[in-house]
Each structure stands twice: as C-alpha cells, then as structure tokens.
C-alpha cells in the first residue's frame, strides 16, 4: 500500500559530485552538489543545479566552465565539508586538503586526489526556480590509472563513489555487482 | 597519475529510474532511463533525458506528464528488460509483470510493485543533442508504507535502489551507511 508523502525531494539516492571552478581572480573553489546527472550522450553532457547564492554559481557564469569531480568514499568527510562552507569566506581547499589542478581543456580546476574527473564547458544555463541548471559538455574525462580495469574503463569498486539520500540526509557507499546492463533483461 | 579517457560518458554510477507514461490511446508504458537527476528544490523538480526515437518521448510530449519510478534491486532484471525493448511493438508491462496504476496528480501511470514513485508534471523541454531533457515538477511522492522509517521518510536500505555504471554497462546495489550529510564535515 502506497502512502503519499507530498511534493518533496525524496529520490532514494543521488550521486555526490564536487564542482570545481575558478573565481574572477583565479582562486580555485570546490563545492559539493547532489542535484544533477548525465543529460545527453551526444554531445556528452552533464547537468548540475546550483543556487544563485553559491560562490560557484558566479564562477561558472564568469568562466563558462566547471569540473565534475567524483570522490571516493575515503573522502566522504571532506566532501561533506566543502558542501557546508562557502569558498567566499573560507580557504576550503587547504582545510579539506584538496589539491586543485588546472584542467587541460576548460578554464576550471579539478581535484587531484579524486579518482575520476570530468572537464566541462558551459553549454546551457536554465533557470528553474531556487536552482539554476548548468549543462556542461564533457570535453575530457580523466581517471587515476590505478582504478582502470582491463578494458581501460574505471572499475566501479575502485572508484568507490558514494551517494546522498535527500530524504534522510545521509551518505551510502556503492554495493555489490548485480549484473550486465542491456543484457540481463534480454528475452528470446 | 591521471589518464585522459576522452569525451565519453564515464561518471562512476547513475541512478536507474523507470519512466511511466500513457500514449495517445491511453496505453501505459514504462521505460528505463539512467540520464537524469534532481534539478531544483523549489519547485521540486527532476530532469530526465530521452532520445527522440523512444516511445516515451512522444508520450511525454503529448501528455505533459510522467512518473519516475525507483526500482528496488529485486527488479533489476525486469528493469533492464523495459530499457531494452520498446513499448511501440511490445506488451512490455505484461512481460515485466509491472502493474500500471493511474497517478493522483498527473496524467501518467506508476509502477505498483516499486517502493518509491514520483508524479511529475512537464515544466520544461530542453533540446541538447541526441537527448532531449524533460524537466518535471514533482507534484507528489508515494512510498510503500513498509519502507518508511520512524521519521516518516523512506529508509534507503528498504528502498534498495541500484545504480548503472555507463563505462562498463553494469548494475550495482547500494552499499553501507557512511554518515550524516551536512553534519560529518562540520568543523568548529
């Protein structure tokens, strides 16, 4: 039996991404964002939604670029930290011990310590309400060599991403392998 | 040391959602989508990206509504199935054994068997490239009473959502509780 919970953001679990930008003066900033996802395969694009009040909002608007950094579960505490405080008045990266590295393809820094990073060029800005959605075209994906499998792709258990549950405001790790997509559901 | 993998959709893991719609004649359809996410808190909105070629694309355009259905890992095989075949020429719901239920707030059906469903009214349509992004305002969230915790929110381990890894085309379950968000990263 289903119970109505109203119009609330309750979606089981979202990914947790850290968004890397430079401000006007070139100071690198990182902020955690859980609203977003892949939004197109060709061109390969991701969407990230931010409130106008965030420092990152102004940085993306100014620089037309951002990075999406996928933290491993080892960094859950520091990732939570950069989501709570603003880079406007805090030296977040020093405290979190995240090393900013200049991207090769876009005007934004990525987190050296994270296993997987996406370099994104701003393509569209969509005003929705409290959040503005930034759609970025992925110009490059970079992965730590140590997490790559035999097929040259990142192994999920080595990336060790984690997830955010908006209903309970809690974090969860990734679990077990369940099967092959576009395959296990095939019928003859 | 980071290795460049090029401009490919490699984002560790995305959620797996099943999108519910009615076609012109009122026939219910369900299709799996991994491109999307939450995109605004106020109004509460989710984004789902689909190719124009899908049956669901036409249905959302026609009906201005869709549901987002969060499957538990018990349904991974059937969820993969409804992502492979088209409702245009297959009686997908009978084969998957998904029971469509008419939503209370929007003109779209949800999956009775799934623990968590969102009823969404189409708010924006954004052409990006191969995929079109539909932004839907969540008018209601419904959850199975059996998955609700003491605070009235769905317990993540009872929803048991699973994730899709685009790089490897594999599914993974959710893992362990890691900590409280907006809290574990606090510094004094």
């Amino acid at each position: 039996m289903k119970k109505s919970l109203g119009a609330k953001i309750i979606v089981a679990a979202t990914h947790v991404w850290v968004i890397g930008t430079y401000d006007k003066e070139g100071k690198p900033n990182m902020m955690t964002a859980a609203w977003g996802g892949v939004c197109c395969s060709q061109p390969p694009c991701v969407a990230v939604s931010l409130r106008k009040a965030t420092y990152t909002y102004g940085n993306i608007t100014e620089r037309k670029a951002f990075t999406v950094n996928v933290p491993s579960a080892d960094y859950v505490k520091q990732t939570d930290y950069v989501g709570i405080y603003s880079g406007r008045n805090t030296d977040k990266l020093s405290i979190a011990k995240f090393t900013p590295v200049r991207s090769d393809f876009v005007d934004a820094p990525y987190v050296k310590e994270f296993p997987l990073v996406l370099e994104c060029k701003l393509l569209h800005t969509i005003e929705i309400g409290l959040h503005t959605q930034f759609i970025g075209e992925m110009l490059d994906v970079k992965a730590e060599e140590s997490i790559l499998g035999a097929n040259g792709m990142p192994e999920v258990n080595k990336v060790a991403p984690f997830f955010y549950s908006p209903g309970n405001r809690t974090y969860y790790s990734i679990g077990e392998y369940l099967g092959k997509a576009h395959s296990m559901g095939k019928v003859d």
Side-chain angles (χ1 to χ4, degrees), chain A:
Chain A
M1 180 70 185
K2 286 201 169 42
K3 187 178 173 182
S4 177
L5 304 179
K8 291 178 196 146
I9 304 275
I10 304 170
V11 292
T14 73
H15 58 69
V16 179
W17 286 345
V18 171
I19 309 306
T21 52
Y22 287 120
D23 75 3
K24 268 187 200 171
E25 280 72 44
K27 184 186 153 199
N29 191 51
M30 302 288 167
M31 112 172 238
T32 307
W35 291 176
V38 177
C39 63
C40 189
S41 295
Q42 201 47 254
C45 290
V46 287
V48 174
S49 287
L50 302 174
R51 285 176 299 114
K52 281 199 175 68
T54 61
Y55 199 47
T56 300
Y57 176 95
N59 293 354
I60 294 179
T61 304
E62 178 85 19
R63 299 274 180 162
K64 316 286 184 210
F66 61 92
T67 61
V68 170
N69 300 266
V70 181
S72 63
D74 290 344
Y75 290 100
V76 62
K77 205 175 160 183
Q78 292 97 312
T79 300
D80 192 53
Y81 164 76
V82 299
I84 296 173
Y85 301 93
S86 173
R88 199 175 277 120
N89 42 33
T90 322
D91 188 7
K92 291 210 280 192
L93 300 200
S94 302
I95 294 170
K97 297 196 170 69
F98 290 165
T99 312
V101 178
R102 180 167 287 281
S103 293
D104 293 323
F105 295 86
V106 304
D107 189 16
Y110 65 79
V111 181
K112 187 184 174 191
E113 287 76 10
F114 286 9
L116 193 64
V117 302
L118 325 177
E119 300 186 8
C120 302
K121 180 184 77 172
L122 182 64
L123 213 59
H124 299 288
T125 302
I126 295 127
E127 299 295 342
I128 305 174
L130 180 62
H131 286 77
T132 301
Q133 186 190 51
F134 294 109
I135 294 180
E137 180 180 348
M138 297 157 61
L139 298 189
D140 194 28
V141 174
K142 286 179 169 63
E144 280 298 313
E145 293 200 51
S146 58
I147 66 160
L148 298 176
N151 64 357
M153 285 287 154
E155 290 188 2
V156 180
N157 63 328
K158 288 184 180 167
V159 181
F162 59 95
F163 305 95
Y164 170 62
S165 173
N168 295 294
R169 297 185 160 219
T170 42
Y171 295 121
Y172 291 82
S173 68
I174 191 142
E176 315 249 299
Y177 170 76
L178 294 176
K180 232 144 161 68
H182 320 304
S183 168
M184 65 192 297
K186 276 197 179 153
V187 291
D188 298 320

